[in-house]
Amino acid sequence: MNIQIFGTKKSKETRAALRFFADRRIPVHFVDFAVKGPSKGELSRFVQKFGVTSLVDESSKRYAELGLRAAHLSDERWMDTLVEEPLLLRQPLVRNQSQLTVGDASGEWKRWVEAAKG
């Protein structure tokens, strides 16, 4: 398994994802949004599967700080905004090769682990 987790250490959902894989002794590559956001190419994988609006965390503090509640942005403008402001993203974003999840998806992660066991 080649697991990548994108999020922040302050996010309880991200910490839960890190703990899920650590408990199963599965190594992960963690990308902390507080240090570096996802590239536009990486983010586009998630957008293709889930749509750009499903990646936006409307309950985040950063969303309110930027005054986006009344914003009506195009998908392309949202992509640019999410690359510039990764703290607007729902967390965690988890990738296992071509398989992707957004938020707490422990059921899906369990299926990945079972499939990897054979």
Side-chain angles (χ1 to χ4, degrees):
M1 294 181 74
N2 185 14
I3 305 294
Q4 281 187 302
I5 298 177
F6 300 88
T8 61
K9 291 183 180 179
K10 289 183 178 182
S11 161
K12 81 175 183 179
E13 292 86 2
T14 300
R15 288 193 313 268
L18 290 166
R19 190 170 42 255
F20 175 90
F21 292 105
D23 289 350
R24 288 155 182 81
R25 293 189 170 97
I26 298 170
V28 301
H29 175 73
F30 177 60
V31 177
D32 191 342
F33 287 157
V35 177
K36 178 183 179 241
S39 69
K40 194 169 188 175
E42 186 68 51
L43 197 56
S44 68
R45 293 178 184 174
F46 288 91
V47 168
Q48 286 174 346
K49 181 168 182 178
F50 300 106
V52 73
T53 55
S54 67
L55 298 180
V56 178
D57 183 1
E58 295 179 357
S59 66
S60 74
K61 189 167 86 170
R62 190 68 181 140
Y63 188 85
E65 288 171 355
L66 293 174
L68 294 172
R69 299 221 186 278
H72 298 287
L73 304 178
S74 68
D75 286 357
E76 186 59 34
R77 180 76 173 116
W78 267 120
M79 275 291 286
D80 293 339
T81 302
L82 292 174
V83 169
E84 293 169 19
E85 297 284 347
L87 297 178
L88 292 172
L89 288 162
R90 286 183 53 214
Q91 297 179 43
L93 302 179
V94 181
R95 182 167 74 91
N96 176 24
Q97 295 162 351
S98 64
Q99 299 170 314
L100 308 169
T101 63
V102 176
D104 180 13
S106 53
E108 182 70 17
W109 304 333
K110 286 177 186 172
R111 285 190 283 281
W112 295 352
V113 171
E114 292 302 317
K117 288 181 181 176

